[in-house]
């Protein structure tokens, strides 16, 4: 199988959660993780780095996560990038908000490591397949 | 004789009460905003709805809601911040907000001491009423407030509408957007009873307020006042000035969101009993969470 290095952008202000997620990504060596601790940095990186996947905390210090999601889905440069909401909100609210704001998935905190990685792979695998097909 | 009942028992070492350093209260004005912001974010790290802030947001919050840092409190022990609580002042009322205790420092009465400090400050300021809001299902905080004598007033909804949410049809109307000055003057006619966040001083301080007036072919009309920033609409006040409120409110929402299709809309503390809430839901507004507004009378 041809592995293509993929870039994941993590927009998360909680340093403990960011550290935990970064640790989990070490199990996915095909991923390069970019980290933004606020919305402004996250939006800048989303535009400049064209990541393959964005993980977005819905509670950010400088802008509501939902607003960030709506900007990302509104901009032609980022609209196509799979976006996963990461939130401590009650699961039903998280699901409704993620869906309403055009997110492609959501992960509730606190999360189970295996379930977290499975959700990530769901999106990376699609991108991998597409990339391999393009290479062939 | 039951032998076991005659044997004296002693607490195990592990159950001996921990000797805690004395708790000190300091005015929040003694701390830089960076320290307050960091402490606040630490208190909310495991909160139901985290709502973190940066220094800019905290500064705006203090300005918009008349928070007096000199009357707000930071709880300290061994020179470490354990928690904080802010006090807004609009005589003859005060408003307690952003109460929080660091997760590792909870269950030692810090929250209660912070509350008692701010209640005393409010008495010193000769306030007649203290207002606060608590997130529904935050049982520890709600229980504490009731224990201190606070009573429920009503439920408040925190709602939002994503950009491009479907809009129901509206009756034919003509719309006119109004500048800030006109918008603020419309608020003098407001009939609804807003929470602290949406009272007239809050909207004046917040800035970027705009107005909207719609007229139906039938002659009925209404107005809206809202805040517009780069990516968001918020602080929405709707009012129909005629009997057919439903048609007018539908037209207001249609005009507002048709003109700003890319804006995310937020609305904190809409009274749950607001008669326009059902029309807002039809226009794509979603409930994020619910707060309970509470008051303590000091008369």
């Amino acid at each position: 199988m041809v592995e293509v290095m993929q870039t994941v952008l993590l927009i998360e202000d909680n340093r403990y959660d960011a550290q935990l997620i970064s640790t989990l990504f070490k199990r996915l060596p095909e991923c390069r993780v970019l980290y933004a601790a606020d919305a402004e940095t996250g939006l800048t990186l989303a535009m400049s780095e064209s990541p393959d996947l964005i993980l977005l905390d819905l509670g950010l210090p400088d802008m509501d996560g939902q607003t960030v999601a709506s900007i990302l889905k509104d901009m032609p440069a980022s609209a196509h990038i799979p976006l996963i909401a990461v939130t401590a909100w009650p699961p039903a609210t998280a699901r409704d908000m993620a869906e309403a704001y055009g997110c492609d998935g959501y992960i509730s905190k606190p999360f189970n490591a295996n379930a977290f990685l499975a959700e990530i792979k769901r999106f990376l695998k699609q991108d991998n397949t597409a990339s391999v097909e393009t290479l062939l | 004789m039951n032998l076991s009942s005659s044997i004296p028992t002693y607490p195990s070492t592990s159950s001996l009460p921990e000797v805690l350093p004395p708790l000190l209260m300091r005015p929040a004005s003694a701390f830089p905003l960076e320290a307050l912001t960091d402490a606040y974010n630490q208190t909310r790290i495991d909160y139901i709805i985290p709502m973190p802030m940066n220094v800019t947001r905290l500064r705006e919050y203090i300005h918009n809601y008349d928070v007096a840092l000199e009357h707000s409190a930071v709880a300290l022990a061994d020179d470490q911040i354990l928690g904080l609580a802010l006090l807004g002042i609009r005589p003859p009322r005060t408003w307690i907000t952003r109460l929080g205790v660091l997760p590792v420092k909870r269950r030692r009465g810090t929250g209660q001491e912070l509350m008692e400090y701010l209640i005393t400050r409010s008495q010193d300021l000769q306030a007649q009423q203290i207002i606060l809001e608590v997130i529904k299902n935050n049982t520890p905080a709600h229980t504490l407030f009731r224990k201190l004598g606070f009573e429920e007033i009503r439920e408040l909804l925190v709602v939002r509408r994503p950009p491009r949410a479907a809009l129901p049809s509206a009756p034919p109307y003509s719309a006119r957007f109004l500048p800030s000055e006109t918008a603020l003057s419309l608020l003098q006619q407001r009939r609804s009873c807003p929470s602290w966040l949406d009272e007239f001083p809050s909207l004046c301080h917040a800035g970027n307020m705009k107005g909207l007036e719609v007229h139906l072919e039938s002659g009925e009309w209404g107005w809206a006042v809202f805040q517009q920033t780069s990516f968001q609409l918020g602080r929405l006040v709707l009012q129909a000035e005629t009997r057919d409120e439903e048609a007018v409110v539908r037209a207001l929402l249609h005009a507002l969101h048709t003109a700003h299709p890319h804006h995310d809309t937020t609305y904190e503390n809409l009274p749950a009993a607001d008669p326009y809430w059902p029309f807002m839901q039809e226009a794509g507004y979603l409930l994020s969470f619910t707060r309970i507004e509470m008051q303590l009378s000091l008369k």
Side-chain angles (χ1 to χ4, degrees), chain B residues 73-86:
Chain B
V74 171
L76 295 163
D78 276 346
D79 288 332
Q80 276 195 314
I81 295 180
L82 305 190
L84 76 166
L86 304 181

Side-chain angles (χ1 to χ4, degrees), chain B residues 221-243:
Chain B
W221 71 287
W223 53 266
V225 172
F226 58 96
Q227 185 185 41
Q228 182 184 346
T229 57
S230 300
F231 301 108
Q232 279 189 345
L233 305 179
R235 304 178 185 280
L236 182 59
V237 181
L238 298 166
Q239 188 160 309
E241 296 292 1
T242 43
R243 283 188 184 174

Side-chain angles (χ1 to χ4, degrees), chain B residues 59-250:
Chain B
R59 189 179 288 116
E60 286 173 0
Y61 194 89
I62 290 165
H63 172 71
N64 291 350
Y65 304 130
D66 295 308
V67 171
L69 290 182
E70 67 273 25
H71 296 297
S72 302
V74 171
L76 295 163
D78 276 346
D79 288 332
Q80 276 195 314
I81 295 180
L82 305 190
L84 76 166
L86 304 181
L87 190 70
I89 303 174
R90 286 177 185 159
R93 299 170 302 137
T94 59
W95 176 62
I96 294 176
T97 182
R98 304 283 146 164
L99 167 70
V101 177
L102 271 69
V104 294
K105 306 293 184 186
R106 289 184 192 145
R107 306 181 73 83
R108 58 197 288 176
T110 308
Q112 181 164 340
E113 293 217 28
L114 281 162
M115 285 297 296
E116 287 169 346
Y117 180 91
L118 294 190
I119 291 169
T120 303
R121 297 302 304 160
S122 299
Q123 289 167 331
D124 293 344
L125 291 162
Q126 299 183 326
Q128 293 178 13
Q129 185 189 37
I130 306 176
I131 303 284
L132 59 76
E133 295 122 30
V134 59
I135 290 182
K136 195 173 181 179
N137 299 326
N138 182 354
T139 306
H142 194 180
T143 304
L144 170 63
F145 301 148
R146 292 198 71 161
K147 179 180 164 187
L148 293 168
F150 283 81
E151 296 172 339
E152 291 82 3
I153 301 173
R154 58 183 172 173
E155 288 196 349
L156 302 168
L157 311 179
V158 178
V159 306
R160 59 189 314 142
R161 178 186 184 277
R164 292 179 300 279
L167 275 171
S169 60
Y173 63 84
S174 62
R176 184 165 66 109
F177 283 88
L178 308 166
S180 175
E181 202 172 287
T182 315
L184 292 175
S185 68
L186 281 170
L187 289 173
Q188 304 290 353
Q189 305 161 29
R190 175 163 49 166
R191 291 192 300 269
S192 58
C193 181
S195 79
W196 190 282
L197 296 189
D198 290 313
E199 288 178 353
F200 186 71
S202 301
L203 301 188
C204 286
H205 296 334
N208 299 312
M209 300 302 294
K210 301 275 173 63
L212 165 66
E213 199 177 275
V214 299
H215 290 261
L216 308 188
E217 287 178 343
S218 60
E220 303 196 84
W221 71 287
W223 53 266
V225 172
F226 58 96
Q227 185 185 41
Q228 182 184 346
T229 57
S230 300
F231 301 108
Q232 279 189 345
L233 305 179
R235 304 178 185 280
L236 182 59
V237 181
L238 298 166
Q239 188 160 309
E241 296 292 1
T242 43
R243 283 188 184 174
D244 190 357
E245 293 194 305
E246 182 176 340
V248 171
V249 172
R250 282 202 171 124

Side-chain angles (χ1 to χ4, degrees), chain A residues 14 61 64 67 74 97 101, chain B residues 57 160 164 232 262 264 288:
Chain A
N14 183 323
D64 296 351
T67 305
D74 206 35
M97 282 293 159
Y101 279 84
Chain B
R57 262 192 167 180
R160 59 189 314 142
R164 292 179 300 279
Q232 279 189 345
H262 299 284
D264 184 25
S288 292

